[in-house]
Amino acid sequence: MHTIHLEQALRTNHWHVNDNQGLTLIQSPLLAQYKDRLTHAFTTRMGPGGAPAPYDHFNLGRNVPDEAVKANALANRKHLCTVLGANHDHLKVPGQVHSGTVVPILEATAKPDMANVDGVSTNLSSVPLLLHFADCVPVIIYEKKRELVSIVHAGWRGTAQAIAANAVALMIEEWGAEASQMVAAVGPAIGTCCYPTGEDVVEQLMLTLSSPLDGSLVKEQMAQGLVKRGSHDGQAEQAQPRPDLKAINAMQLLLAGVPEVDVCSFCTSCRPDLFYSHRQSGGKTGRQGAIAMMHSPS
Ligand SMILES: [Zn+2]
């Protein structure tokens, strides 16, 4: 069973890049199958936003203490909502502090304190959820039967706190969801090609992949691909392990009982033409977004 999960988690798909009124968006082919009920998109840095370097062009992040950058990002968020037919007044944007915390959104017009939150779930139509990324893993989870959607921000810390699995558990607890009715998309994020890290990080990530059957760690699987070791692309011997954050998030979802997970093949650090990348840029850069919203059937 774990071997099947592992093969699934490591399989990446080519996602289509589309121009949407001058805005370059990426979609998961799996989630796009439910477009009658779910609008979703992963933004790129390409668009009409007009943010100056190093935030060029379509920055959505308001994390830098620069009022002009913040104002531009706000305008870009509004533009994104307009393009997708979403109501910006209802947009829910958590603070993102690399926690494992996911909260439910129960009222369209409420403004809950989400400063220390990295994941949101809702059962409400016409309430768009937006999170920001620059290498960290965006995950969108859709529950088809009860019409629920979640987005989480999973950097290595969030992944080590199993935030994707936390979102699954929250939907089950709050709304009686079933993991078997969920589909998930793991979006553009830093690839194992560009993510050398420490053994302590690897250890914490792997602790999230305990077997629900016998409680044992899935160690042999780690060796089989969730953590790359050795040289990459003929470069000098790479001493540091390179965990596959996208695959580890996919693995968490599969182990939680989500039957289908669509993993994006794009590495944000390899594609500075398309994406903001914290590592590639040396830390000073903008943020792309993952947005999702349910709507009544059209
Ligand atoms: Zn890469």
Side-chain angles (χ1 to χ4, degrees), residues 191 193-194 267 269-270:
C193 38
C194 298
C267 166
S269 180
C270 282

Side-chain angles (χ1 to χ4, degrees), residues 190-195 232 267-271:
I190 197 159
T192 184
C193 38
C194 298
Y195 196 53
H232 170 66
C267 166
T268 46
S269 180
C270 282
R271 293 295 303 269

